[in-house]
Amino acid sequence: MAITPTVEERSGCGRRARLAARVMRRFVRPLVALLPWSPATLRLAPLLDLGAALLVPPRGTKVARVNGLPCAAEWVRGPGVTGGSGKAVLYFHGGGFVACGLRTHRRMIARISQAAGMPVLSVGYRMQPRVPIATSVQDCVDAYRWLLDEGCDPGGIVVGGDSAGGYLAFMAPLHAIRDGLPRPAGIAALSPLTELDTASKIAHANAALDPFIPAPRLRDMIHVVFPGAELTDPWLSPVHADLGGLPPVLIQAGSVEVLLSDAELMAGRLGAADVPCTLQIWEGQVHVFQVFADISREGLAAIAEIGAFAREVTGAGARRRAA
């Protein structure tokens, strides 16, 4: 049986968001186009997370380091959020599988925590080129297993991530279910990478519009992160996986980003697998625009939607429907 995914086109792009897109097109996109995907360059990429120490989370946020995992992780509780509910968001940061980390995403994650009313376990999974992609996926599965071992009800866990982390937000539950673990309550994916074959992205109309990502650079990323991989391998490519066991999904994407192609394709594949999916397409917004919530009211609105989704799928009503 197949269901039709819900597609919500969110209109309106504020002046500051449009200005940010123009600045990115003028300065950031050319830099991304020129930076080589060489081992030397990629080994410096994690330094971006160190520089992000200046990005302080909202006042009232509580951050606590987590031990017992093979990678770095921390609890982030947004303003007014306490523990003890048995509910949590498990979040994987983006960064092309090679960059960013706990610091770069802490401010946005604190806002997600506040919107959802639950703590977020933010995972600094190990990245390429130091480890293969299989290790990154396993770190994320181990984080989910750790939450369950700590007493979290799987019906109270929402898995989330952006960009490369959006890829992991699909792959970690798929691998966890294969390993016999219960499925989480929901998945929230922000501008996710879901298709390893870059041909459709390069051919997409947004390849000329994206202010941030030059579509041909995605080929370099796939070549480095997935060397020699079969691009249709269901244990590497979410859109080719058996998606039938997944929980309800929320996907958010900007209308001008090149990864809209992946978001649309994944929504269709989820519907074909009878998995409820809502795809929100935000007018004029760039890749992972939620990170820029300080200058974009649409970013704040999108984070509020993520919080509402997390509350819905982990609520008592959701559990009754699943029973």
Side-chain angles (χ1 to χ4, degrees), residues 160-230:
D162 61 276
S163 194
Y167 166 93
L168 294 167
F170 287 114
M171 294 311 297
L174 286 168
H175 282 255
I177 292 169
R178 180 188 65 175
D179 293 347
L181 297 178
R183 75 177 191 177
I187 296 172
L190 290 56
S191 302
L193 174 78
T194 63
E195 168 65 273
L196 301 187
D197 188 343
T198 58
S200 60
K201 288 180 270 292
I202 292 173
H204 196 278
N206 280 2
L209 300 177
D210 194 311
F212 177 32
I213 302 176
R217 294 317 306 267
L218 293 170
R219 282 189 304 226
D220 300 326
M221 182 188 73
I222 298 299
H223 176 74
V224 169
V225 177
F226 302 88
E230 173 55 56

Side-chain angles (χ1 to χ4, degrees), residues 2-199:
I3 60 177
T4 301
T6 301
V7 179
E8 301 175 351
E9 296 188 0
R10 299 305 177 88
S11 61
C13 182
R15 181 178 60 84
R16 288 188 292 180
R18 294 195 300 270
L19 177 60
R22 286 197 294 269
V23 170
M24 292 178 70
R25 174 173 288 279
R26 178 67 178 85
F27 298 103
V28 179
R29 180 178 168 122
L31 180 62
V32 174
L34 290 174
L35 281 175
W37 276 78
S38 66
T41 302
L42 296 182
R43 289 189 180 278
L44 295 175
L47 295 177
L48 180 63
D49 191 51
L50 295 177
L54 298 175
L55 299 175
V56 296
R59 181 176 298 180
T61 299
K62 295 180 175 63
V63 179
R65 180 175 177 148
V66 169
N67 298 313
L69 289 171
C71 60
E74 64 184 22
W75 279 114
V76 179
R77 294 177 172 86
V81 175
T82 60
S85 68
K87 298 178 182 180
V89 176
L90 175 62
Y91 197 90
F92 310 127
H93 67 83
F97 303 100
V98 299
C100 298
L102 302 180
R103 296 177 185 87
T104 56
H105 284 62
R106 190 177 288 152
R107 189 169 177 84
M108 179 182 72
I109 286 173
R111 286 190 167 120
I112 292 174
S113 170
Q114 185 179 27
M118 60 187 75
V120 178
L121 180 64
S122 178
V123 179
Y125 54 90
R126 289 170 287 179
M127 296 185 287
Q128 291 65 46
R130 292 173 174 80
V131 299
I133 186 63
T135 300
S136 302
V137 174
Q138 189 59 51
D139 281 350
C140 297
V141 175
D142 288 344
Y144 181 60
R145 191 190 306 273
W146 183 86
L147 274 179
L148 297 174
D149 291 343
E150 288 293 304
C152 279
D153 182 347
I157 299 174
V158 174
V159 181
D162 61 276
S163 194
Y167 166 93
L168 294 167
F170 287 114
M171 294 311 297
L174 286 168
H175 282 255
I177 292 169
R178 180 188 65 175
D179 293 347
L181 297 178
R183 75 177 191 177
I187 296 172
L190 290 56
S191 302
L193 174 78
T194 63
E195 168 65 273
L196 301 187
D197 188 343
T198 58

Side-chain angles (χ1 to χ4, degrees), residues 268-282:
R269 296 289 171 87
L270 287 164
D274 200 23
V275 176
C277 175
T278 297
L279 169 61
Q280 296 179 347
I281 303 174
W282 293 73

